Amino acid sequence: MNVINIQEKFTRFSEHWHPHQIAVVDDMQVLLAKLKDDFVWHKHEEEDELFFVQKGTLEMQFRDKTEIVREGELIVVPKGVEHCPKTQGGEEVHVLLFEKNTTKHTGNVTHEKTKRLYPKV
């Protein structure tokens, strides 16, 4: 039961597309990640994902549309929906993710960007 300063936690890592765990709530984890450029098209068959944009602008691409998520906004990607997060013009975007502990980083896809372990910060 400690206060977590999210801004300070973001200063502890620099790698893009590598989530870091800051808390666990029942069977859910709270992650921070720095994003830049394109990620990987993927889906999570059994888990929803929540993306809260702390800094910058995120483009959440779906096969039929793209949603723009600005600083202070969030988007929930429902389970089974293929998506690909990306940033605009080389901007670094900071996000807070809320997802089940069982959620695989790149879902149904294995890619060079796939992370299997999320460090705690």
Side-chain angles (χ1 to χ4, degrees), residues 13-19 33-37 39 90-94 105 113 115:
F13 64 95
S14 60
E15 186 177 359
H16 297 123
W17 303 108
H18 191 174
K34 293 180 179 180
L35 316 180
K36 188 173 181 180
D37 302 320
F39 194 48
E91 177 185 30
E92 182 177 82
V93 175
H94 295 185
H105 186 226
K113 291 182 179 179
K115 304 297 181 201

Side-chain angles (χ1 to χ4, degrees), residues 15-17 38-40 105-106 109-116:
E15 186 177 359
H16 297 123
W17 303 108
D38 295 332
F39 194 48
V40 179
H105 186 226
T106 52
V109 173
T110 300
H111 187 274
E112 64 186 29
K113 291 182 179 179
T114 300
K115 304 297 181 201
R116 292 185 183 9

Side-chain angles (χ1 to χ4, degrees), residues 16-116:
H16 297 123
W17 303 108
H18 191 174
H20 287 66
Q21 188 183 84
I22 61 167
V24 174
V25 181
D26 291 328
D27 66 342
M28 306 289 289
Q29 58 187 336
V30 182
L31 305 166
L32 299 181
K34 293 180 179 180
L35 316 180
K36 188 173 181 180
D37 302 320
D38 295 332
F39 194 48
V40 179
W41 279 99
H42 66 286
K43 62 183 173 180
H44 307 278
E45 294 294 347
E46 301 299 325
E47 302 97 0
D48 298 334
E49 278 187 298
L50 181 147
F51 292 77
F52 173 78
V53 177
Q54 179 77 16
K55 173 186 165 193
T57 302
L58 176 67
E59 286 187 25
M60 186 60 72
Q61 301 175 102
F62 300 102
R63 290 299 183 183
D64 62 341
K65 66 179 179 175
T66 298
E67 292 288 341
I68 304 300
V69 190
R70 293 176 178 81
E71 203 167 291
E73 297 179 335
L74 65 84
I75 188 168
V76 175
V77 179
K79 60 185 151 211
V81 174
E82 195 173 21
H83 60 287
C84 182
K86 70 177 279 193
T87 68
Q88 302 173 336
E91 177 185 30
E92 182 177 82
V93 175
H94 295 185
V95 297
L96 180 145
L97 303 157
F98 191 65
E99 60 189 30
K100 287 186 179 178
N101 290 324
T102 56
T103 304
K104 293 180 180 176
H105 186 226
T106 52
N108 64 327
V109 173
T110 300
H111 187 274
E112 64 186 29
K113 291 182 179 179
T114 300
K115 304 297 181 201
R116 292 185 183 9

